Structures are given as structure tokens and as C-alpha cells.
Amino acid sequence: MPLTLLVVVMAVVAWFWLRNQPASQRKPAILKLVLVSGILMVVLLAITGRLYIVFALLAFLFPLLRRVLPSLLMGRMSGLGTGDASAKPGNQSHVSSNILKMTLDHDSGTMSGEIVEGPMAGRALADMGEDEFIELLQYCRGQDEDSARLLETYLDRRFGDSWRTDDPAGDDSAEESEPENSSSGGALSDSEALDILGLEPGASRDQIIQAHRRVMQKMHPDRGGSNYLAARVNEAKERLLS
């Protein structure tokens, strides 16, 4: 009974710890929990004389591990090999407009954002419903074209094409706001360019090129991004290399 109670307490503590982790850090946190739990389980089984259960489980899972483990290790090594010491914590890019501030997590490819101006200022996009997004989109289209393009990209990543059926402007507006070679309405500052590529001041030429390649893999239109975001990434690279 005390052992069962200990397991329950540890599980509750682990759950609260995981819940308090930033969204961008939850995947690594889960991996840490799995690793620590596995080690504790092996120690516990060894103390109770039931270590044979681990060997039996490994023998059962060996065919699966032999196929999955190499690819996992190669993916991890690849991530370490392309790591950038000048990247920001969490490996993120930030793209801002007059109304919105967006964050793209390089590891997960997820996009989050908040409203910084207008009637809905201060709200996080993750807490909004689809009807509210249409209202916000109409406001952005009337106030700032860049904000409208940025929000459309977010909606495409979150809802796919479903939100367009509720868009009063229809597909024509999407085509007009996302031309083939779209670009931003204003020149980027060095600070904005660094934010977009997820770099710190003083990044070298090679680091800028590597960061551009990494971010473009997430923001390219062929990978769920948009022409607008791809143009901003290219502008950021050109600004920092000029």
C-alpha cells in the first residue's frame, strides 16, 4: 500500500510539473518524464526481485525497437548537428504586424499569437473561437493588410480551409491578400529581422543562412506556410546580410 501511494503521489507531482511547462517545452518534458519513470521502474523491479519482467518486455518489444530506435537516434543527432548557439530559448521566430504578434516554434511547427491592438487587444488567439476570428479578420482587413495576411496564415494552419466557408469576403479576398510574390508593407529593422529568424544580435553570416533555411522549412507555402511569411523570412535574411 505505501508503494502504491508513493506512485500516485509521484504521478500527481509529475502531472502538475508537466502542466506548468511552456507549450514549446512540453514534448522534451514528456520525454524526460518517460525516461525518469523507466529508470525508477527498473530500480523498483530490481529491489522487489521482479527484474525478469523488464527482460521479458524488452524481448517482446525488440522487433519494434530495432526499427524505430535508429530513426529516433538519427533524428536526435540531426537536431544536435543543426543546432545554433545563437538561437533563442525554445528555438522560436517572431513575426509582428500593427495588430498581431505571432510566434512560430521551430521544433513543433506550431504557431501561436496574441492581439496587440484594436477592440480585442490583449487576447491570445488560442482562446478564441472561429466566429471571433472572422470578426478579427474583418477588422484587420480594414486596418492593416499585413495583419490580415498574418491572421489568414494562422487560420490556415489551425483550421485548414474550413474557416473560409464562413468568411464573408470569400476566396477572392484570400487571393487578393496573398499574391504570388507578396511582401510586407514596410522595411524590416535589424531587430525585427533577428526576431523572424530566431537569432540574437551578433549572429554570423553562416548562422543567418542556417537560420533562414531552418525557418523557411516551416514557413514555406509548400509546408503549410504562406507567400507572405516566406517573403518576410527572405526579407529578414537580406536585411541581416546587407
Side-chain angles (χ1 to χ4, degrees):
M1 183 64 66
L3 183 59
T4 303
L5 181 60
L6 178 61
V7 171
V8 172
V9 170
M10 292 179 64
V12 172
V13 171
W15 183 80
F16 276 105
W17 177 77
L18 182 62
R19 184 180 180 184
N20 291 328
Q21 296 299 308
S24 61
Q25 298 298 322
R26 285 180 183 171
K27 286 187 177 180
I30 291 174
L31 292 177
K32 290 179 182 178
L33 280 178
V34 171
L35 180 60
V36 172
S37 300
I39 293 175
L40 291 177
M41 183 180 297
V42 171
V43 172
L44 180 61
L45 290 175
I47 294 175
T48 58
R50 300 176 181 176
L51 197 57
Y52 64 89
I53 297 178
V54 175
F55 293 111
L57 184 60
L58 289 175
F60 177 76
L61 295 177
F62 178 74
L64 178 62
L65 292 175
R66 188 171 60 179
R67 288 186 299 174
V68 175
L69 192 57
S71 60
L72 290 177
L73 290 175
M74 289 300 294
R76 180 63 177 172
M77 291 174 65
S78 175
L80 292 174
T82 58
D84 193 340
S86 65
K88 295 184 176 180
N91 208 16
Q92 298 176 338
S93 294
H94 302 279
V95 182
S96 300
S97 65
N98 291 339
I99 301 173
L100 302 170
K101 181 178 180 180
M102 295 289 189
T103 299
L104 176 74
D105 185 85
H106 299 174
D107 297 326
S108 64
T110 57
M111 180 178 283
S112 59
E114 61 178 323
I115 306 170
V116 297
E117 185 178 297
M120 299 182 183
R123 295 194 60 183
L125 297 184
D127 299 332
M128 297 176 60
E130 196 163 344
D131 291 340
E132 292 178 299
F133 280 122
I134 297 301
E135 180 182 348
L136 176 61
L137 181 58
Q138 290 178 310
Y139 175 79
C140 289
R141 285 172 176 165
Q143 301 295 323
D144 181 54
E145 185 180 357
D146 282 350
S147 297
R149 293 180 184 178
L150 197 53
L151 182 58
E152 287 174 356
T153 300
Y154 174 87
L155 293 175
D156 284 337
R157 294 179 79 97
R158 179 169 173 180
F159 299 109
D161 292 331
S162 64
W163 68 271
R164 296 187 183 277
T165 60
D166 299 323
D167 181 8
D171 294 336
D172 292 339
S173 176
E175 292 176 0
E176 292 175 1
S177 64
E178 194 70 48
E180 184 65 23
N181 295 309
S182 60
S183 60
S184 65
L188 293 173
S189 66
D190 288 346
S191 177
E192 290 172 329
L194 289 169
D195 278 344
I196 290 175
L197 295 182
L199 295 171
E200 296 286 359
S204 67
R205 180 182 179 85
D206 287 343
Q207 290 170 338
I208 294 170
I209 293 174
Q210 290 175 10
H212 171 267
R213 184 181 301 113
R214 180 177 63 249
V215 177
M216 187 61 78
Q217 289 176 349
K218 300 295 183 180
M219 291 188 172
H220 194 278
D222 294 340
R223 293 180 171 86
S226 68
N227 291 323
Y228 170 73
L229 287 180
R232 295 297 274 180
V233 174
N234 287 331
E235 288 174 18
K237 175 186 175 184
E238 293 172 3
R239 171 73 183 187
L240 295 176
L241 292 180
S242 62

